[in-house]
Amino acid sequence: MAVDSSPDGRQVLVGAPSGTDRSNLADLLASDGYAVRLASDPGEVARQLDTRTGAVIITDEIMAGDLTALTAALSSQPEWSNIPFVLITAHRSQTRQDLDTLRTRLPAALKKLIVLEQPFGPASLLSTLDVACRSRQRQFEIRDRLQELADERARLNSLVENLPVGVCFIDLDGNTVLSNPKYDEYVPNRLIPSAQPDAAMRWLALDSEGRPLPSDQFAGARALRGEHVPALDCRYLPPDGGERWTRISAVPLYDSQHAVIGAAMVIIDIDAEKQNESMLRRFNDELEIEVKVRTQALEDALALLTVESQERARAEEQLRHSLKMDAVGQLTGGIAHDFNNMLTGIIGALELMRVRLRKQQYDDLGRYMDAAHSSAGRAAALTQRLLAFSRRQSLENRAVAINPLVESLSDLLQRTLTESVVLEMDLAEDAGFAMVDANQLENALLNLSINARDAMPEGGTLVIGTQRVERNAADAGRFGGKAGTYVSICVTDTGVGIPQSLLEKVFEPFFTTKPLGQGTGLGLSMVYGFVQQSNGFVTVDSHEGQGTTITLHLPLADIEIAENETPAAPSPRSAGAGQSILVVEDDDSVRLLLQTTLQDLGYSVHLAEDGQRALQLLDQLDYLDLLISDVGLPGLNGRQLAEIFQQKRPGLPVLFMTGYAENAAVRSKFLGPGMTMITKPFSLESLADAIAGALRVRLEEEV
């Protein structure tokens, strides 16, 4: 039964014959805040005695009665309970012999007795009772503490019993002092294996190099010698057959004199880990064989396109990684199929042109060149989508007015959609400017619109809306964004929708809901990668049968500057006038192409395959008008090389070429003064315009 130990709940049991004295006593105690219960004989005292009682006041008359029931009641009290009794006696000046005689009549379980001789005043009685109740209160505190300890021990026992690992304490002889069932599965006879040769035969301990250890090097034996054993892998052979791999940790236990008195051990089941390691080893072996076979096949088929050893190692690593990813591995065949189609178009067109040239048949050359150029363009578009997915494409982020950009796409989008799809614009006037690459944003919106069209085979409505929104840290953080102000672009369709079970997968690489052969699964991944690279985030909301809304959140530009520049009209290929240009490119084919093109344009060309050779040529050249460099070079990269060149030749313009460069992903952060960039693959016309633009800037600065 619960005990009320608060001052307001003090319980005093008064055992005295009925009468005026008992009533006066009860009134006195009640006036001092005590809860009083009354009893007229020893049996009634015994019946009312319980753990709520703070003290018992009893008279000589009651003590003279039959104490059998009272003795039984006191004996049945909990161990912590020792109720104090205040005996009011009319016998004055009792000798020690009288008190000893009195105690022989009292129950043995009554250990706290205070004798109060009459006459006495109320103050004496209340003071004595206060001492007794405070003594009882300390018992209540001890009881509560004992209960807390018991509860804690029960929780600890429950925790230990249900741990998924084996734990134990052992003495100096290796005997189990305390353990849980999981430990007993491995050590059923409660003695560590190193202390019994027969049991040790069932255990194989391995060091960090995988070499077997003798039994005196087992974890328990080492801990009893005072060593800390953080982890020791062991193979255990149970009596019923099979094997189990475990990882055992052990630490010594010390007494107050820092002498070892035992050890604590933990046994963890690592069967799954060992099986995974074994599977991984087999997988790596098979993978190495597959890589060698495929590499040899590529070398045989593309002998003229064999790259240097560094490129080959990277290709093997990419192949190894793709084979390890199940999701990617399921669709690499589709990508290879697309690329093979493109390569077939390029190689086949080149072979036909070679045959026609040998036969001096020139009529169809233009058609074959167009076919090769078209296949190369498709390949370039696919690589751009892959770069967008990997967030490694080169972005030219700037403040872009979102509403005008969306409106400028309306004609193109309307032509892309079918006649049964209605295009609507819902543009907020305060949408403002976003920091983004305009070209990539146009591609993303076109991609989303095509997906929306395909989701509405029976027709519907496509709505593109814009607005300015505030996102707090919790809201944006769920989608990988940060708190701030964003310009949101919503692309909403009324199509078939996406099942809830697939929503989390829509941005995964190569995932598509379209029928086989009608999608690569890179479209939404490209959009996701581009927006993430632009420091934004993407959300998707879809319901089956109702439609889908994909929202791009792009960071608001710090300075809203309208970009009303009129696009420059296409100009004929710019020609040079003998200007000196140094080209640094590690790819032999690209370097040859650049040399021929620049010479045809009228420039004086100097070639270097890496940064070291370029620096040697710089010291030999009296004058240099332009540096053209690939970003990714062996040794010094293009950006480092450009800084050295500009230090030696102040004001020298630099034109970078990049197909993939992680630290060149955002142009505004990568480019320095006098530096521009062109992305591979590029047309020769674009290259000529870029060179002319770079030289024109220097000429204007000199003027």
Side-chain angles (χ1 to χ4, degrees), residues 287-317:
L287 185 60
E288 289 295 334
I289 296 173
E290 185 69 16
V291 169
K292 291 179 181 179
V293 171
R294 294 197 179 193
T295 301
Q296 185 60 48
L298 288 173
E299 289 177 350
D300 295 341
L302 305 173
L304 296 178
L305 300 178
T306 301
V307 295
E308 298 176 354
S309 59
Q310 182 180 2
E311 291 293 326
R312 175 182 174 182
R314 186 169 62 209
E316 291 178 351
E317 183 61 28

Short mmCIF file of all heavy atoms in Angstrom, two decimals, residues 287-317:
data_model
loop_
_atom_site.label_atom_id
_atom_site.label_comp_id
_atom_site.label_asym_id
_atom_site.label_seq_id
_atom_site.Cartn_x
_atom_site.Cartn_y
_atom_site.Cartn_z
N LEU A 287 34.02 -8.95 -60.63
CA LEU A 287 34.03 -7.62 -61.23
C LEU A 287 35.33 -7.35 -61.96
O LEU A 287 35.35 -6.79 -63.07
CB LEU A 287 33.80 -6.56 -60.14
CG LEU A 287 33.65 -5.12 -60.62
CD1 LEU A 287 32.47 -4.97 -61.55
CD2 LEU A 287 33.49 -4.20 -59.41
N GLU A 288 36.44 -7.75 -61.36
CA GLU A 288 37.73 -7.56 -62.00
C GLU A 288 37.79 -8.30 -63.34
O GLU A 288 38.29 -7.78 -64.34
CB GLU A 288 38.85 -8.04 -61.07
CG GLU A 288 39.08 -7.17 -59.85
CD GLU A 288 39.58 -5.79 -60.22
OE1 GLU A 288 40.19 -5.64 -61.31
OE2 GLU A 288 39.35 -4.85 -59.44
N ILE A 289 37.25 -9.53 -63.32
CA ILE A 289 37.25 -10.30 -64.56
C ILE A 289 36.39 -9.61 -65.62
O ILE A 289 36.78 -9.48 -66.79
CB ILE A 289 36.73 -11.74 -64.29
CG1 ILE A 289 37.70 -12.47 -63.35
CG2 ILE A 289 36.56 -12.50 -65.60
CD1 ILE A 289 37.18 -13.83 -62.90
N GLU A 290 35.20 -9.14 -65.19
CA GLU A 290 34.30 -8.47 -66.12
C GLU A 290 34.93 -7.18 -66.67
O GLU A 290 34.80 -6.87 -67.86
CB GLU A 290 32.98 -8.15 -65.41
CG GLU A 290 31.91 -7.55 -66.30
CD GLU A 290 31.40 -8.54 -67.32
OE1 GLU A 290 31.62 -9.75 -67.14
OE2 GLU A 290 30.77 -8.09 -68.30
N VAL A 291 35.59 -6.44 -65.78
CA VAL A 291 36.23 -5.19 -66.22
C VAL A 291 37.32 -5.48 -67.27
O VAL A 291 37.43 -4.79 -68.28
CB VAL A 291 36.82 -4.44 -65.01
CG1 VAL A 291 37.72 -3.30 -65.46
CG2 VAL A 291 35.70 -3.89 -64.15
N LYS A 292 38.10 -6.52 -67.01
CA LYS A 292 39.16 -6.85 -67.96
C LYS A 292 38.58 -7.25 -69.32
O LYS A 292 39.08 -6.84 -70.37
CB LYS A 292 40.01 -7.99 -67.40
CG LYS A 292 40.85 -7.57 -66.19
CD LYS A 292 41.65 -8.76 -65.66
CE LYS A 292 42.47 -8.35 -64.44
NZ LYS A 292 43.24 -9.49 -63.88
N VAL A 293 37.49 -8.07 -69.27
CA VAL A 293 36.88 -8.50 -70.53
C VAL A 293 36.33 -7.31 -71.30
O VAL A 293 36.58 -7.16 -72.51
CB VAL A 293 35.77 -9.53 -70.25
CG1 VAL A 293 34.98 -9.82 -71.51
CG2 VAL A 293 36.37 -10.81 -69.68
N ARG A 294 35.61 -6.43 -70.60
CA ARG A 294 35.01 -5.29 -71.28
C ARG A 294 36.07 -4.29 -71.76
O ARG A 294 35.93 -3.69 -72.83
CB ARG A 294 34.01 -4.60 -70.37
CG ARG A 294 32.80 -5.46 -70.03
CD ARG A 294 31.68 -4.66 -69.48
NE ARG A 294 30.51 -5.49 -69.19
CZ ARG A 294 29.32 -5.03 -68.94
NH1 ARG A 294 29.11 -3.73 -68.94
NH2 ARG A 294 28.31 -5.85 -68.68
N THR A 295 37.11 -4.12 -70.94
CA THR A 295 38.18 -3.20 -71.34
C THR A 295 38.86 -3.70 -72.61
O THR A 295 39.15 -2.92 -73.53
CB THR A 295 39.20 -3.07 -70.21
OG1 THR A 295 38.55 -2.58 -69.03
CG2 THR A 295 40.30 -2.10 -70.59
N GLN A 296 39.12 -5.02 -72.67
CA GLN A 296 39.75 -5.57 -73.85
C GLN A 296 38.86 -5.41 -75.07
O GLN A 296 39.33 -5.09 -76.17
CB GLN A 296 40.07 -7.06 -73.62
CG GLN A 296 40.85 -7.72 -74.75
CD GLN A 296 42.19 -7.06 -74.96
OE1 GLN A 296 42.93 -6.83 -74.00
NE2 GLN A 296 42.53 -6.74 -76.21
N ALA A 297 37.54 -5.62 -74.86
CA ALA A 297 36.61 -5.46 -75.97
C ALA A 297 36.59 -4.02 -76.47
O ALA A 297 36.55 -3.77 -77.68
CB ALA A 297 35.21 -5.90 -75.55
N LEU A 298 36.62 -3.07 -75.56
CA LEU A 298 36.65 -1.67 -75.96
C LEU A 298 37.94 -1.32 -76.69
O LEU A 298 37.94 -0.56 -77.66
CB LEU A 298 36.49 -0.77 -74.72
CG LEU A 298 35.10 -0.74 -74.08
CD1 LEU A 298 35.14 0.04 -72.78
CD2 LEU A 298 34.09 -0.11 -75.03
N GLU A 299 39.04 -1.88 -76.22
CA GLU A 299 40.32 -1.60 -76.88
C GLU A 299 40.33 -2.15 -78.31
O GLU A 299 40.85 -1.50 -79.23
CB GLU A 299 41.46 -2.21 -76.07
CG GLU A 299 41.74 -1.50 -74.76
CD GLU A 299 42.83 -2.17 -73.97
OE1 GLU A 299 43.24 -3.30 -74.35
OE2 GLU A 299 43.28 -1.59 -72.96
N ASP A 300 39.76 -3.35 -78.48
CA ASP A 300 39.72 -3.94 -79.81
C ASP A 300 38.81 -3.15 -80.75
O ASP A 300 39.13 -2.94 -81.92
CB ASP A 300 39.26 -5.39 -79.73
CG ASP A 300 40.26 -6.26 -78.97
OD1 ASP A 300 41.43 -5.83 -78.84
OD2 ASP A 300 39.88 -7.34 -78.49
N ALA A 301 37.64 -2.73 -80.23
CA ALA A 301 36.66 -2.05 -81.07
C ALA A 301 37.02 -0.61 -81.35
O ALA A 301 36.66 -0.05 -82.38
CB ALA A 301 35.28 -2.13 -80.42
N LEU A 302 37.69 0.03 -80.40
CA LEU A 302 38.00 1.46 -80.53
C LEU A 302 39.50 1.69 -80.43
O LEU A 302 39.99 2.47 -79.61
CB LEU A 302 37.28 2.25 -79.44
CG LEU A 302 35.76 2.07 -79.36
CD1 LEU A 302 35.21 2.77 -78.15
CD2 LEU A 302 35.10 2.59 -80.63
N ALA A 303 40.25 0.99 -81.27
CA ALA A 303 41.71 1.08 -81.21
C ALA A 303 42.21 2.49 -81.44
O ALA A 303 43.18 2.94 -80.83
CB ALA A 303 42.33 0.12 -82.24
N LEU A 304 41.54 3.23 -82.37
CA LEU A 304 41.99 4.58 -82.69
C LEU A 304 41.63 5.58 -81.58
O LEU A 304 42.15 6.70 -81.58
CB LEU A 304 41.36 5.04 -84.02
CG LEU A 304 41.77 4.24 -85.25
CD1 LEU A 304 41.04 4.77 -86.49
CD2 LEU A 304 43.27 4.29 -85.47
N LEU A 305 40.71 5.19 -80.67
CA LEU A 305 40.27 6.10 -79.62
C LEU A 305 40.78 5.70 -78.24
O LEU A 305 40.24 6.10 -77.22
CB LEU A 305 38.72 6.13 -79.59
CG LEU A 305 38.04 6.60 -80.87
CD1 LEU A 305 36.53 6.54 -80.72
CD2 LEU A 305 38.49 8.01 -81.23
N THR A 306 41.83 4.84 -78.22
CA THR A 306 42.39 4.42 -76.94
C THR A 306 42.99 5.63 -76.22
O THR A 306 43.75 6.38 -76.78
CB THR A 306 43.49 3.37 -77.16
OG1 THR A 306 42.93 2.25 -77.84
CG2 THR A 306 44.05 2.92 -75.82
N VAL A 307 42.63 5.80 -74.99
CA VAL A 307 43.10 6.96 -74.23
C VAL A 307 44.30 6.57 -73.38
O VAL A 307 44.67 5.39 -73.32
CB VAL A 307 41.97 7.50 -73.33
CG1 VAL A 307 40.83 8.04 -74.13
CG2 VAL A 307 41.49 6.42 -72.37
N GLU A 308 44.89 7.55 -72.75
CA GLU A 308 46.06 7.33 -71.91
C GLU A 308 45.68 6.51 -70.68
O GLU A 308 44.50 6.33 -70.37
CB GLU A 308 46.66 8.67 -71.48
CG GLU A 308 47.13 9.51 -72.65
CD GLU A 308 47.62 10.87 -72.22
OE1 GLU A 308 47.46 11.18 -71.03
OE2 GLU A 308 48.13 11.60 -73.06
N SER A 309 46.67 6.03 -69.97
CA SER A 309 46.42 5.12 -68.84
C SER A 309 45.58 5.77 -67.75
O SER A 309 44.77 5.11 -67.10
CB SER A 309 47.76 4.68 -68.22
OG SER A 309 48.51 5.81 -67.79
N GLN A 310 45.71 7.06 -67.55
CA GLN A 310 44.91 7.73 -66.52
C GLN A 310 43.44 7.71 -66.89
O GLN A 310 42.57 7.47 -66.04
CB GLN A 310 45.39 9.18 -66.36
CG GLN A 310 44.65 9.95 -65.30
CD GLN A 310 45.16 11.37 -65.15
OE1 GLN A 310 46.05 11.78 -65.89
NE2 GLN A 310 44.59 12.11 -64.22
N GLU A 311 43.12 7.95 -68.18
CA GLU A 311 41.75 7.91 -68.64
C GLU A 311 41.18 6.50 -68.54
O GLU A 311 40.02 6.30 -68.20
CB GLU A 311 41.67 8.40 -70.10
CG GLU A 311 41.96 9.88 -70.27
CD GLU A 311 40.89 10.73 -69.64
OE1 GLU A 311 39.73 10.31 -69.66
OE2 GLU A 311 41.21 11.80 -69.11
N ARG A 312 42.01 5.53 -68.85
CA ARG A 312 41.54 4.15 -68.78
C ARG A 312 41.23 3.76 -67.34
O ARG A 312 40.20 3.11 -67.07
CB ARG A 312 42.61 3.22 -69.35
CG ARG A 312 42.24 1.74 -69.19
CD ARG A 312 43.33 0.84 -69.73
NE ARG A 312 43.02 -0.55 -69.44
CZ ARG A 312 43.80 -1.57 -69.76
NH1 ARG A 312 44.95 -1.34 -70.38
NH2 ARG A 312 43.46 -2.80 -69.48
N ALA A 313 42.08 4.18 -66.37
CA ALA A 313 41.82 3.87 -64.97
C ALA A 313 40.51 4.50 -64.52
O ALA A 313 39.73 3.89 -63.78
CB ALA A 313 42.98 4.36 -64.10
N ARG A 314 40.24 5.73 -64.96
CA ARG A 314 39.00 6.38 -64.57
C ARG A 314 37.80 5.67 -65.19
O ARG A 314 36.75 5.50 -64.55
CB ARG A 314 39.03 7.85 -65.01
CG ARG A 314 37.82 8.64 -64.52
CD ARG A 314 38.01 10.13 -64.73
NE ARG A 314 38.14 10.43 -66.15
CZ ARG A 314 38.83 11.46 -66.62
NH1 ARG A 314 39.49 12.25 -65.79
NH2 ARG A 314 38.89 11.70 -67.92
N ALA A 315 37.94 5.23 -66.43
CA ALA A 315 36.84 4.52 -67.07
C ALA A 315 36.55 3.20 -66.35
O ALA A 315 35.40 2.82 -66.15
CB ALA A 315 37.16 4.25 -68.53
N GLU A 316 37.64 2.50 -65.93
CA GLU A 316 37.45 1.26 -65.19
C GLU A 316 36.77 1.51 -63.85
O GLU A 316 35.91 0.74 -63.42
CB GLU A 316 38.79 0.57 -64.97
CG GLU A 316 39.41 0.01 -66.25
CD GLU A 316 40.76 -0.62 -65.99
OE1 GLU A 316 41.28 -0.48 -64.88
OE2 GLU A 316 41.31 -1.25 -66.90
N GLU A 317 37.15 2.61 -63.19
CA GLU A 317 36.54 2.93 -61.92
C GLU A 317 35.06 3.26 -62.09
O GLU A 317 34.21 2.85 -61.27
CB GLU A 317 37.27 4.11 -61.27
CG GLU A 317 36.75 4.48 -59.89
CD GLU A 317 36.90 3.34 -58.90
OE1 GLU A 317 37.81 2.52 -59.07
OE2 GLU A 317 36.07 3.28 -57.97
#
